[in-house]
Amino acid sequence: MITETVETRTREDCARAVARAVEVLANGGVVALPTETVYGLAADATNADAVAGIFEAKHRPLFDPLIVHIADAGMAHLVAEFPSGYEALLKRFWPGPLTVVVPRRPAIPDIVTAGLPTVAVRMPAHPIFREVLECLGKPLAAPSANRFGRISPTTAGHVREELDGRIPLIVAAGPAEHGVESTIVEMERGRLRVLRNGPVSPEQLAGFGEVLEMDEADFPSAPGQLKSHYAPATPLRLGPDNPTPGKRCGLLRFGGGTHLPAGFDRVETLSVDLREAATELFAAMRRLDAAGLDEIVAEPVAEEGIGHAIMDRLRKAAARE
Ligand code: TXA
Ligand code: MG
């Protein structure tokens, strides 16, 4: 299969890209689309065959459920029920990088939720993704546009590295604004359980209910929260930031200049501003992974704000099982 990439630099480009995407999606195909978090691989969430195409292209196991993206309240109520308690949270964070896990409605086929009675729902903020949703008039199931178990793509180039020849269309729209996947939460009796840390931090959620830490033992129902995810092929370990003797080592750090510290073959220096660092995190991991190293050492960051999401991704990249 030839993978076509369409740009969205001008107004005309955008209109053409959206029309092409809608055409492919309406015919049950899959399309890689930009979102404000990472690039997603989208298909009509109400069409089980179309959604099967996502699993096939990504080599994603069928037990890992997808997030359904909606444009407005009408679409939201088509896909799920929203128990009372969600209003204030959604009013504050939608459209944006927050996903909620709520009871699903019959319009959503089993393949989307891996048979779970709940569905993960998000209203994205990216203008291109929103326009596709509105023109298609259907909710879109969309996981990150990477092969299963690999680093999420934050540029159209990353999507091509992952899925070239496996999907018909990539809509390119510059690097993703946040750079890490959406925060996933589930409400239980007025309390918020964070299933995945993301751009919406636990501190930001605190105003909307007591925030419960994610407890893996509690989540046989979130199979996608597998320990090893976002993994580069090169072994990665979390600090201390000294190289392993005899190994070609790369360093991923936050601040500290661009000079190469003794014993390292390669360094990627991200911003000390963690919001900014998050936007470059996956791209830096990809560059280190492509550098022919034996090992990547990642410096830990403070677990506050988006630091929770960054540490979560680094731990998952370090997990080998
Ligand atoms: O930012 C994002 O969320 C991106 C963009 C494309 O929107 N999407 C994304 O999707 O990260 P994905 O498939 O890579 O991650 C979805 C996560 C998985 O870990 C999955 O297990 C979890 O959402 N999930 C989906 N449905 C769920 C459910 N009903 N209950 C619990 N977890 C669920
Ligand atoms: Mg993913």
Side-chain angles (χ1 to χ4, degrees), residues 278-296:
T279 67
E280 274 291 313
L281 176 67
F282 289 157
M285 277 167 59
R286 276 176 190 273
R287 286 192 295 267
L288 287 170
D289 203 18
L293 301 163
D294 300 318
E295 183 178 59
I296 300 168

Side-chain angles (χ1 to χ4, degrees), residues 38 58 60 64 143-146 149-150 152 181 196 229-230:
V38 299
K58 282 189 56 128
R60 184 177 174 116
D64 195 4
S144 47
N146 50 278
R150 296 194 20 108
S152 292
E181 307 85 347
R196 179 173 72 187
H229 224 93
Y230 316 101

Side-chain angles (χ1 to χ4, degrees), residues 34-83:
T35 88
E36 72 277 28
T37 56
V38 299
Y39 276 70
L41 183 63
D44 177 353
T46 65
N47 177 343
D49 288 342
V51 173
I54 294 177
F55 286 90
E56 202 180 324
K58 282 189 56 128
H59 286 151
R60 184 177 174 116
L62 285 166
F63 61 71
D64 195 4
L66 305 178
I67 295 175
V68 174
H69 299 68
I70 46 103
D72 52 36
M75 247 186 228
H77 292 289
L78 175 83
V79 308
E81 284 167 40
F82 292 84

